[in-house]
Amino acid sequence: MRPLTEQDIRASFINCSKGEAKRLAVPRDLGEVPWDDLDFLGWRDPGAPDRSHLVAERGDRLVGVAMRFQPARRGFLHRSMCSLCLTTHPRGGVSLMTARKAGPAGREGNSVGAYMCTDLACSLYLRGRKIPETGARFEESLTLEEQIARTRGNLFAFLDKL
């Protein structure tokens, strides 16, 4: 992913107003982000524990999405799988992220959801730059490039529904 500025990020949101995009919390450490290892930039809003945001490159365009999630309340032995990167996590490591649809459908309250890593670090889990709480990902027969392509395909399928 190419490095983004705060202005790039705020201008990319498709499912919130310009005022909402102007007020949302953008990561302060954009200069320290490992851009080469990311397929999308995702972060949780530190001021609103039930909100998260995601910005992805789609061709030559940036697509930003504001999402909400309910913190998971699962049992100690329960595990869930992210629908983007297929990483499994115990307890609250995966959450149902819901995004309001863009345009009139969103203004009527329609939304789309997907189970995602709660910390939105899918790209880092794929590349081994971040280790899930369980200690490892499942072994796959796909190459890293194929896993990245699958993750991007899953992400774009989610974005296409918005």
Side-chain angles (χ1 to χ4, degrees), residues 106-118:
R107 288 190 288 277
E108 291 177 9
N110 296 326
S111 61
V112 175
Y115 286 94
M116 299 181 196
C117 295
T118 304

Side-chain angles (χ1 to χ4, degrees), residues 67-128:
M67 301 181 292
R68 290 181 177 259
F69 69 97
Q70 192 74 8
R73 294 182 182 95
R74 304 281 184 175
F76 181 72
L77 297 176
H78 188 275
R79 297 171 61 94
S80 299
M81 181 181 285
C82 173
S83 64
L84 299 184
C85 66
L86 305 186
T87 300
T88 59
H89 296 275
R91 294 180 289 285
V94 172
S95 297
L96 177 62
M97 303 282 184
T98 57
R100 184 173 62 208
K101 285 188 146 199
R107 288 190 288 277
E108 291 177 9
N110 296 326
S111 61
V112 175
Y115 286 94
M116 299 181 196
C117 295
T118 304
D119 61 4
L120 296 170
C122 298
S123 302
L124 301 179
Y125 291 124
L126 279 178
R127 291 166 175 84

Side-chain angles (χ1 to χ4, degrees), residues 25-53:
V26 174
R28 297 179 188 265
D29 60 347
L30 292 176
E32 301 168 19
V33 173
W35 297 106
D36 291 337
D37 291 330
L38 296 183
D39 302 303
F40 64 88
L41 175 65
W43 71 98
R44 291 179 59 181
D45 187 331
D50 66 335
R51 294 186 188 177
S52 59
H53 310 285

